[in-house]
Amino acid sequence: MLSMTILVTGATGTVGGQLLNQLPADNVRVLVRDPAKAALPDGVDVVRGDLSDPASLDTAVKDVDSVFLVFPTLQADQVAPEVIDALTRHAPHIVYLSAAAVADEHDGTGIVGSHARLEHLIEESGAEWTFVRPTGFAKNALMWADQIRAGDVVRWFHGAATRSLIHEHDIAAVAARALTTNGHVGARYHVTGPEQLTLVEQVHAIGEAIGRPLRFDELAPEDAVRELFPDSPFAKSIVDGHAKMVRNPEPVTSTVLDITGTQARTFAQWAADHAADFTRW
């Protein structure tokens, strides 16, 4: 680590922010759109740039050893080849934050399709790579925060859907090892939490964390699409995806323990860490 420089993208986001807390600041360069607005740890090298503008990346990627890549939304897919080229022309190693669902068959569309395309571009670039493929983020449970602040009932769908949600700290911990230690090139790490919980059990765990019993109110799938996601083109796919997790629960892997030497954090721990997010407006 003494002479290593790591470029971190997505540093103001869920996983990137955690990663900054786990890497020595002197070894980190951060890519942000507006350095003046970014709240970042002291000591990191902050460089202005934007992944949607490949021409802005040259300064950021100069003389770096590894890149932690969080690619932006689907709208940026069209610039992905130029972005990967700009990064891999300078950086010998890319650690890409992908998704566990990439390992399954899919139709190439939506968020999973976007991750699959990025993985392919990185593989074809000739650079060394590591793909960190998390299951669902525990932080996605914040989608219930407004309902929980307003009352004791969560109206949602497919309460029996069973997930192995992962704490953002543990995703970052795996990425930090891949960025700073040997033996991770060519790896596709499926990272999960240490347990399977239904959505109903997740709601109850949040209730325990905030000291207030919560109840799960099951919505019919068609009502959920109409009421919860009225403007989302992905509404039906989200609801259908949860139906699949009723029939086929997400698996649990030991990857976090294997890579970091520490057991993955439970959903209850995540809920305790984020209790304030469910109680304050």
Side-chain angles (χ1 to χ4, degrees):
M1 287 293 292
L2 292 178
S3 61
M4 178 179 286
T5 300
I6 299 168
L7 176 65
V8 176
T9 69
T12 58
T14 298
V15 179
Q18 286 283 335
L19 182 61
L20 291 186
N21 293 329
Q22 299 182 38
L23 293 174
D26 290 346
N27 296 99
V28 175
R29 182 179 299 167
V30 176
L31 179 75
V32 293
R33 294 188 184 93
D34 187 348
K37 295 182 179 179
L40 299 167
D42 293 337
V44 301
D45 179 18
V46 182
V47 178
R48 183 187 299 274
D50 191 335
L51 287 175
S52 66
D53 178 14
S56 72
L57 302 179
D58 285 345
T59 299
V61 79
K62 183 180 179 182
D63 298 325
V64 303
D65 298 283
S66 295
V67 175
F68 177 67
L69 178 60
V70 180
F71 200 71
T73 60
L74 296 169
Q75 287 74 28
D77 266 5
Q78 61 270 23
V79 300
E82 295 176 69
V83 169
I84 299 306
D85 180 65
L87 296 177
T88 56
R89 271 189 286 113
H90 298 278
H93 184 208
I94 307 292
V95 176
Y96 175 54
L97 183 62
S98 187
V102 171
D104 302 325
E105 292 184 11
H106 57 84
D107 59 8
T109 62
I111 295 172
V112 175
S114 180
H115 282 304
R117 288 190 291 278
L118 262 293
E119 286 194 8
H120 177 73
L121 288 170
I122 294 168
E123 287 184 90
E124 294 296 310
S125 72
E128 296 179 340
W129 52 264
T130 308
F131 299 148
V132 179
R133 293 173 167 177
T135 188
F137 288 18
K139 196 171 182 179
N140 289 342
L142 291 175
M143 62 193 171
W144 297 323
D146 286 347
Q147 293 190 51
I148 292 171
R149 294 187 198 108
D152 297 327
V153 177
V154 171
R155 288 170 52 79
W156 211 251
F157 50 91
H158 296 310
T162 303
R163 309 208 63 179
S164 51
L165 299 178
I166 184 167
H167 196 303
E168 58 269 15
H169 176 280
D170 293 327
I171 305 171
V174 171
R177 299 308 191 283
L179 288 161
T180 62
T181 62
N182 295 325
H184 306 286
V185 172
R188 298 174 173 87
Y189 289 133
H190 181 185
V191 292
T192 77
E195 61 192 346
Q196 294 174 318
L197 291 177
T198 66
L199 270 62
V200 173
E201 290 169 331
Q202 293 168 38
V203 168
H204 290 166
I206 294 168
E208 291 181 5
I210 65 175
R212 178 158 53 88
L214 300 176
R215 178 167 60 85
F216 190 99
D217 186 9
E218 184 92 17
L219 286 173
E222 59 274 15
D223 293 336
V225 170
R226 183 178 64 254
E227 294 181 25
L228 300 175
F229 310 105
D231 302 315
S232 173
F234 303 112
K236 189 174 185 304
S237 64
I238 293 171
V239 175
D240 290 348
H242 280 73
K244 292 178 182 178
M245 288 184 283
V246 174
R247 301 187 297 271
N248 300 297
E250 287 183 334
V252 171
T253 71
S254 61
T255 304
V256 173
L257 177 61
D258 295 342
I259 301 301
T260 70
T262 302
Q263 181 63 268
R265 288 161 168 75
T266 64
F267 184 81
Q269 178 64 61
W270 178 89
D273 291 342
H274 290 270
D277 295 327
F278 293 97
T279 55
R280 67 186 180 197
W281 290 96

